[in-house]
Amino acid sequence: MILTDLDHARQELAMTASFQSAVDFLHSSRWKHQPDGQIEIDGERVFALLQSYETLAMSFERLEAHRRHIDLHFIVSGEETIGWLPAVHMEPDEPYDTANDVWWGRATVSENRV
């Protein structure tokens, strides 16, 4: 897990070509004033998923994991609490969805240990 702000991302992330594309996109104005949805950055390798929503109270009821993609979360406005835990501490609720690269599950450790 890496936690940083956009101003320091280039110094704190290993700048692979994909990370560089993602950070460059966030620094650009290309995403601003766009409707929610997917924006291609580098084909299927790097894309942005713009979402607007009301955040919910933090819960460990449903967790997600990915095998092919890495999530970079960038909060444009408002606040959101983002929790994480190693996937070895997750039990699947549903089979892995290959097409959407998502695995939904529940924590197998208590909230106090996460």
Side-chain angles (χ1 to χ4, degrees):
M1 160 85 71
I2 300 168
L3 180 64
T4 188
D5 59 25
L6 191 55
D7 291 335
H8 296 95
R10 286 190 177 99
Q11 297 137 311
E12 296 176 4
L13 293 172
M15 280 294 120
T16 64
S18 294
F19 274 130
Q20 184 69 51
S21 296
V23 171
D24 288 349
F25 173 80
L26 291 173
H27 274 286
S28 77
S29 60
R30 195 173 143 209
W31 57 270
K32 295 178 181 175
H33 310 293
Q34 295 293 318
D36 286 359
Q38 187 167 312
I39 297 176
E40 185 176 299
I41 298 171
D42 182 12
E44 291 184 13
R45 288 184 51 80
V46 182
F47 59 89
L49 182 58
L50 303 181
Q51 299 174 317
S52 301
Y53 53 88
E54 289 290 323
T55 58
L56 303 171
M58 192 167 87
S59 167
F60 286 90
E61 290 182 23
R62 192 167 191 208
L63 305 170
E64 72 177 279
H66 307 282
R67 292 183 180 165
R68 293 189 324 266
H69 294 99
I70 297 172
D71 280 348
L72 294 178
H73 292 253
F74 180 62
I75 311 303
V76 175
S77 64
E79 296 178 357
E80 184 168 29
T81 301
I82 300 173
W84 71 275
L85 74 146
V88 297
H89 296 297
M90 284 177 59
E91 181 177 302
D93 282 344
E94 302 172 18
Y96 171 69
D97 181 342
T98 305
N100 294 306
D101 183 38
V102 67
W103 175 43
W104 296 103
R106 298 185 184 282
T108 59
V109 295
S110 71
E111 292 178 31
N112 295 338
R113 293 183 51 207
V114 177

